[in-house]
Amino acid sequence: MGFSDYRTVLVTGASSGIGAATIRRLCAEGLEVHALGRDHRRLARLSAETGCRLCALDLNDLAALTRLGGSAEFDVLVNSAGQSRRSNILDTAPDDVDALVDVNLRAVLHLTRLIVPGMAQRNRGHVVNISSIAGHYAFGENATTFNSSAAYHATKSGIHSLSQQLRIDLYGTCIRVTEVSPGRVATSIFQNQNAADNPDARFVGAFETLQSEDIAEAIAFAVGAPARMNVAMIEVVPTFQVIGELRFASRSDTTRLREMTSGADNA
C-alpha cells in the first residue's frame, strides 16, 4: 500500500514523545494527521508546526472517542498514548492500576472497535499499536529502575495479544496490523532526567537511549511498506541494551567500545 494509498491518520498520545514525533514524520509524507491528546497548548504548537488537526480530548471520555471515531474515515490508527508507574504488585495503588488499564489498554480497545470496522468496510487501513518490551519480558529486580510496574507489564502484554488477535479478525482483508515494541526511549516517562530529585536520572543520562524519532521511523517504515508486506512486529531497542533484560552499557562503556572498534579498523 504505502503512503500514497492512505489519506487520513489518527495518532494518540500526540502532545509529546513518540506521538508527536510520529505526527511530524507522517505529516512530512503529506498525510492528513489528526493529533489526539489532552494538552491543548502543545497540540496547538504542533499544529502550527506540522499542519496536523487538533483533537484535544481525554482518552477516558468514551462519548468523545465515539464522536471522533465517526468524524472521519481514518486509514491509519496509531495507538501511541501510554502511561507508566513505579511499583511492583506488592505496593501498587488502586488508582495506578485504574489509570494504566484505562489509558494503556481500555482506550486502545475502544478506538480499535470504533475505527477498524470502517477500515474493513473500505478494505483499506493500517493499525499500529505501540507496546513495549515490558509486554514480552519480565525485568526482575530492575523493574522499578525502568519506571514500570506489574500493571504496566500486564497492559502492554494485552496490547501484544490484541495485535495478534486483530490479524486473525481481519484475515482476508487488506487491513494491516503492526506492533512496535520499544525498549528504553527518552520520553516523558523519564522526564526531568537531569533533576537531582529524579530517581530515574542515572538510568537515562548515563546510558544511551532511543529517541522518539527512532520509533517514528519504525512506524513510517511499516506504514510505507508495499501492500504485499505486513510488518507484523518490530522490537526496537538501544544497541547496547540486552534483549529481554534491562542491562545497559553506560555511555562511558560505549565510548570505550567504539574507540576500541575504531582502533581495530585503523590497524
Side-chain angles (χ1 to χ4, degrees):
M1 288 184 175
F3 295 115
S4 62
D5 295 288
Y6 298 134
R7 295 186 297 271
T8 308
V9 183
L10 176 63
V11 179
T12 70
S15 301
S16 62
I18 294 171
T22 300
I23 288 166
R24 293 186 179 97
R25 182 65 181 82
L26 297 183
C27 280
E29 296 293 338
L31 296 166
E32 178 186 297
V33 183
H34 294 240
L36 193 163
R38 291 183 299 176
D39 192 322
H40 188 275
R41 286 183 295 180
R42 287 186 177 181
L43 292 178
R45 289 196 295 268
L46 187 63
S47 179
E49 174 192 345
T50 65
C52 68
R53 298 197 177 189
L54 278 64
C55 302
L57 58 87
D58 193 319
L59 283 172
N60 293 320
D61 188 340
L62 180 55
L65 291 183
T66 302
R67 290 192 296 271
L68 176 63
S71 66
E73 294 184 347
F74 294 108
D75 295 321
V76 181
L77 169 63
V78 181
N79 287 306
S80 175
Q83 292 188 6
S84 184
R85 295 291 189 276
R86 292 179 59 86
S87 64
N88 62 39
I89 202 64
L90 302 179
D91 59 8
T92 297
D95 289 348
D96 288 346
V97 172
D98 290 343
L100 291 174
V101 171
D102 286 346
V103 174
N104 295 0
L105 188 56
R106 183 177 286 116
V108 174
L109 287 166
H110 279 309
L111 280 172
T112 300
R113 72 170 183 83
L114 289 167
I115 292 173
V116 169
M119 293 181 180
Q121 290 174 3
R122 298 187 300 275
N123 202 31
R124 182 183 73 247
H126 200 139
V127 179
V128 180
N129 291 326
I130 307 301
S131 63
S132 167
I133 61 170
H136 308 282
Y137 308 109
F139 294 158
E141 64 182 11
N142 286 321
T144 55
T145 67
F146 188 66
N147 203 23
S148 66
S149 65
Y152 179 80
H153 283 246
T155 58
K156 290 303 183 179
S157 181
I159 295 302
H160 172 62
S161 182
L162 169 64
S163 301
Q164 292 181 311
Q165 187 60 42
L166 272 177
R167 296 186 198 100
I168 301 298
D169 293 350
L170 294 168
Y171 177 75
T173 74
C174 293
I175 316 305
R176 301 186 294 182
V177 180
T178 298
E179 175 190 357
V180 180
S181 181
R184 180 171 290 171
V185 184
T187 64
S188 58
I189 286 179
F190 296 103
Q191 59 188 325
N192 301 320
Q193 64 185 43
N194 296 317
D197 60 347
N198 177 22
D200 291 319
R202 63 194 176 98
F203 299 110
V204 179
F207 298 91
E208 287 193 320
T209 59
L210 298 170
Q211 300 300 310
S212 297
E213 291 75 16
D214 300 328
I215 308 305
E217 285 297 331
I219 293 169
F221 170 73
V223 174
R228 64 180 178 275
M229 176 177 166
N230 180 36
V231 182
M233 199 272 205
I234 309 177
E235 187 172 87
V236 189
V237 298
T239 300
F240 287 95
Q241 178 177 356
V242 177
I243 303 296
E245 253 285 5
L246 281 182
R247 285 181 289 166
F248 290 80
S250 68
R251 290 190 185 278
S252 59
D253 290 337
T254 59
T255 299
R256 177 176 54 81
L257 288 168
R258 287 188 176 117
E259 289 175 347
M260 290 173 58
T261 303
S262 176
D265 291 340
N266 295 328

